[in-house]
Amino acid sequence: MHPTSQILLPLDTDTADKALALASQLQGEVAGFKVGLELINAAGFGLLHQLQVVAGPDVKIFYDCKFHDIPNTVAGAARAAARRGVWMFNVHASGGGAMMRAAVEAAAEGARSGGLARPLVIAVTVLTSIDAATLGGELGVSESVTDHVIRLARLAQDSGCDGVVASPHEIAALRAACGPDFTLVIPGVRPAGADPGDQRRVMTPGEAVRAGADYLVVGRPITAAPDPVAAARRVNAEADAARNNG
Ligand code: C5P
């Protein structure tokens, strides 16, 4: 793993073979890998172990599972995920404070029982696919999207979560609301000139780091590049420069 990289590379593929090929190609350049619902449902949980073989036992795996259920069920899932040695996983903040506290406590128990470090527990506030019309109209939430994001982030922090996944344009408000130690994991990052694809509100890696991002989830600009290793190095160089020069 690259020592200063802030990149969490999403392994957005539908087979274990493709995911492992990406991981072995890029493991020296990134901070870690994101394993989401498509891949885990297609490849099975053995993939997590295979990743630890391919990229080393200390590989940082962000399991993007977005747990959302009653506290007892989420606790059981969190305990099991922690025993698998994931470094980070997430829950929906809209599951409420009791659910998030149960996830954090069970993650600690699961990790302890396996002699492992507790995974970081990160909350999803408002999905970026939910706009003001959906939040207010379909879901009946009367406050603005930003106010609801901040409300759920504060609840996540008060419930013991380590941070949130957030859009780049929410970084400044979240830093102000939740302070410097709250981990901000930021997708929607695009190097200058890169195809935004289906991402609507993007920032460059430098902008996101200057705004206060801890981790950058950058996928297709790296994985679809002609030379993925060179593309990852460019993102790292831009992030390093932003960190070092403010
Ligand atoms: O390829 P790209 O850089 O767009 O990949 C971004 C990754 O981050 C995908 O795995 C996507 O599901 C995830 N993500 C996102 N926007 C969010 C939350 C997660 O793009 N708001």
Side-chain angles (χ1 to χ4, degrees):
M1 296 287 142
H2 185 295
T4 63
S5 180
Q6 293 172 264
I7 301 172
L8 297 179
L9 187 89
L11 299 174
D12 288 333
T13 69
D14 57 359
T15 70
D17 285 351
K18 286 187 228 167
L20 294 171
L22 267 178
S24 59
Q25 183 183 21
L26 287 157
Q27 53 126 343
E29 314 300 330
V30 300
F33 298 103
K34 179 169 87 70
V35 174
L37 291 172
E38 179 187 3
L39 179 58
I40 206 78
N41 279 283
F45 284 97
L47 174 83
L48 299 177
H49 177 68
Q50 288 172 298
L51 266 176
Q52 287 156 345
V53 172
V54 164
D58 297 329
V59 59
K60 289 181 169 156
I61 300 176
F62 169 19
Y63 177 31
D64 186 9
C65 50
K66 298 190 182 70
F67 293 143
H68 188 175
D69 208 317
I70 59 170
N72 188 57
T73 301
V74 167
R79 200 175 292 115
R83 283 203 198 106
R84 290 189 187 275
V86 303
W87 159 79
M88 173 188 281
F89 71 89
N90 56 8
V91 297
H92 272 287
S94 53
M99 188 204 80
M100 289 189 276
R101 281 192 299 280
V104 173
E105 281 166 22
E109 272 168 38
R112 238 187 344 263
S113 73
L116 300 159
R118 173 173 79 73
L120 297 171
V121 182
I122 299 290
V124 175
T125 58
V126 178
L127 293 170
T128 46
S129 52
I130 293 187
D131 59 11
T134 306
L135 193 68
E138 291 184 11
L139 302 181
V141 173
S142 53
E143 62 193 350
S144 72
V145 173
T146 305
D147 286 353
H148 202 51
V149 165
I150 299 299
R151 170 194 300 276
L152 291 174
R154 285 202 170 114
L155 177 64
Q157 188 172 36
D158 290 347
S159 308
C161 287
D162 300 287
V164 289
V165 182
S167 124
H169 294 274
E170 293 162 352
I171 298 172
L174 285 165
R175 273 277 166 254
C178 299
D181 299 328
F182 201 52
T183 300
L184 301 183
V185 177
I186 310 297
V189 175
R190 288 290 177 269
D195 179 0
D198 50 7
Q199 297 284 4
R200 291 280 166 269
R201 303 181 67 215
V202 298
M203 271 191 192
T204 65
E207 287 168 342
V209 167
R210 273 191 294 275
D214 293 298
Y215 292 100
L216 309 173
V217 179
V218 192
R220 288 161 292 177
I222 294 172
T223 57
D227 182 345
V229 168
R233 287 182 181 163
R234 280 195 295 275
V235 173
N236 285 332
E238 193 181 322
D240 285 345
R243 223 172 22 252
N244 298 333
N245 304 323

